[in-house]
Each structure stands twice: as structure tokens, then as C-alpha cells.
Amino acid sequence: QSVLTQPPSASGTPGQRVTISCSGSSSNIGSHNIYWYQQLPGTAPKLLIYANNQRPSGVPDRFSGSKSGTSASLAISGLRSEDEAEYHCAAWDDSLSGWVFGGGTKLTVL
Amino acid sequence: QVQLVQSGAEVKKPGASVKVSCKASGYTFSSHDINWVRQATGQGLEWMGWMNPNSGNTGYAQKFQGRVTMTRDTSISTAYLDLSSLRSEDTAVYYCARTCRGNGCAEFDFWGLGTLITVSS
């Protein structure tokens, strides 16, 4: 069981906007920044969003992040077939003195 | 450009130990912590621990305490993960990734390609 809770799957059609949630607690998301990673099949994770809502250079502005209280969301607008991947959230946890990840959400582009 | 190059896949028997390496290039090795994260097939990411290459200080996830050791050789900018008393549940892809120690920076911004460790009799 992952400390951060994500829905196991999500889906959308090309051009649609989809959101993926990540729920935690006061010791992780409630106290620290949230991070999002995109993992294409058979590859290593890639940083998508850092510090809640910042995009590294090269990440399209179709990807955005937000955080409220002990929950966070990743939004993808103008969905494209190449967005089909697994998405993971992460945050530092004070109680565990370590990083915790969500279980991952598999996004399918229909 | 920043690169983390990991050692190759290994097959180990239950009870054995494995040592995985992660060679950093393209940045100052001591400027970022090295973390190890593993992923079993079809599962999520699981953080194992961190190491400060400058001081050698480490922090391990409670689940791996007593079985994991993270070390480094600063002369060749390489970090190592040692995992002992292997069992079948340790079969996974092991990634190294760097973190930047907080203050709103881009944590886990670069990852190695992963090393498949298979534990089988």
C-alpha cells in the first residue's frame, strides 16, 4: 500500500483535459512540495512537475500541477496519444523521514 | 549533459547480495544527493534511501534497514547500492536518481536507465 493515493487508471480522448489526483496527509503533501513524474513504457521516470506547479524546461505547458491541503492534482490539457504513460506523484514525508510515492496512474488515450 | 549510468542486469540466488553502481557525469557529483528507487513489474515506485556524496551520510527507508548499504567513490563519481539477504520479492528494476536537497528545487530531475535485478533459485 502506497503512502500517497492515486487512482490506478485514467483515460481521455485526444484534445480532452484530464486530471490525476494524489492524496496524502499532513506529514507529506500537507507540509511539503509535490512532484510529478511521467513514465513511458519500459523507460525511467521523467520529471514533469516540481515544487507543486513548476515545469522543467522542455515540458509543454499542457501539463500543470496544483496542491490544496493534503491533496494534489496533475492536469493535462489538449490530450495527445504520446501522453499515454504511467504518472507518479511524490513528496517528502516527515513521519517516515523519507520520500514517498503514489502507486501510479496509468493514463490511456482512447 | 547530466547522466547517471548504471551497471548491468544481474541474476542472484535467494540469500545472496547484489551491488549496483551508478556513475554520475555532467555535473558536480557532490552537489546532489543520490537516491535509489525500485520498481517491481507492474508496481509503483518504491524509495529505498538517499546518500550525500560529499559527506557519505545516508538515510534508509525503514523497510530496508539492516539489508541496504549506500556508498560512494568520489574519485570516480560513482554511487553504489548494496542489498543483502535477497529474496524473490526483491526482483525489480533499481533506479538511481539525484535530488537537490529542498528549497523548491527540482527533485529527482535525472534518473539512471535502471538495473534489473532478478532473484531466482
Side-chain angles (χ1 to χ4, degrees):
Chain A
Q1 245 66 319
S2 301
V3 173
L4 303 182
T5 302
Q6 296 181 238
S9 63
S11 63
T13 56
Q16 247 187 343
R17 181 178 187 272
V18 297
T19 62
I20 296 171
S21 62
C22 178
S23 177
S25 68
S26 58
S27 64
N28 42 66
I29 297 178
S31 309
H32 297 282
N33 290 328
I34 189 82
Y35 300 81
W36 291 93
Y37 304 89
Q38 178 192 59
Q39 187 176 28
L40 299 172
T43 69
K46 168 194 165 186
L47 178 64
L48 204 59
I49 297 288
Y50 70 95
N52 304 322
N53 54 20
Q54 302 298 302
R55 282 186 309 277
S57 61
V59 173
D61 59 6
R62 301 186 296 106
F63 294 90
S64 62
S66 64
K67 186 183 98 165
S68 178
T70 59
S71 294
S73 291
L74 171 71
I76 310 171
S77 59
L79 198 62
R80 304 173 69 158
S81 58
E82 56 260 40
D83 298 333
E84 188 160 289
E86 188 99 9
Y87 292 85
H88 308 271
C89 58
W92 180 265
D93 189 292
D94 287 332
S95 297
L96 299 174
S97 294
W99 289 94
V100 290
F101 286 87
T105 298
K106 182 173 171 53
L107 175 64
T108 301
V109 181
L110 302 169
Chain B
Q1 71 283 22
V2 174
Q3 281 193 307
L4 297 174
V5 179
Q6 298 185 223
S7 49
E10 301 207 44
V11 179
K12 294 291 183 180
K13 293 195 182 303
S17 297
V18 68
K19 188 168 188 171
V20 183
S21 67
C22 172
K23 182 172 177 58
S25 62
Y27 73 101
T28 301
F29 184 52
S30 59
S31 67
H32 287 67
D33 292 344
I34 293 291
N35 294 251
W36 291 91
V37 178
R38 76 179 188 179
Q39 185 175 37
T41 301
Q43 302 298 307
L45 301 171
E46 182 175 34
W47 179 79
M48 300 179 69
W50 62 268
M51 182 198 63
N52 181 316
N54 192 39
S55 63
N57 289 345
T58 55
Y60 304 139
Q62 188 170 12
K63 174 177 179 175
F64 301 102
Q65 293 269 6
R67 277 210 306 146
V68 69
T69 305
M70 296 176 189
T71 58
R72 88 289 191 210
D73 184 338
T74 55
S75 69
I76 54 172
S77 300
T78 299
Y80 301 95
L81 167 72
D82 261 288
L83 187 62
S84 63
S85 301
L86 290 169
R87 33 215 190 223
S88 58
E89 310 90 88
D90 293 319
T91 294
V93 175
Y94 289 73
Y95 296 101
C96 61
R98 71 174 199 173
T99 52
C100 49
R101 303 169 187 154
N103 294 322
C105 59
E107 309 282 17
F108 297 99
D109 60 344
F110 283 92
W111 297 64
L113 295 183
T115 296
L116 175 62
I117 303 300
T118 303
V119 182
S120 174
S121 54

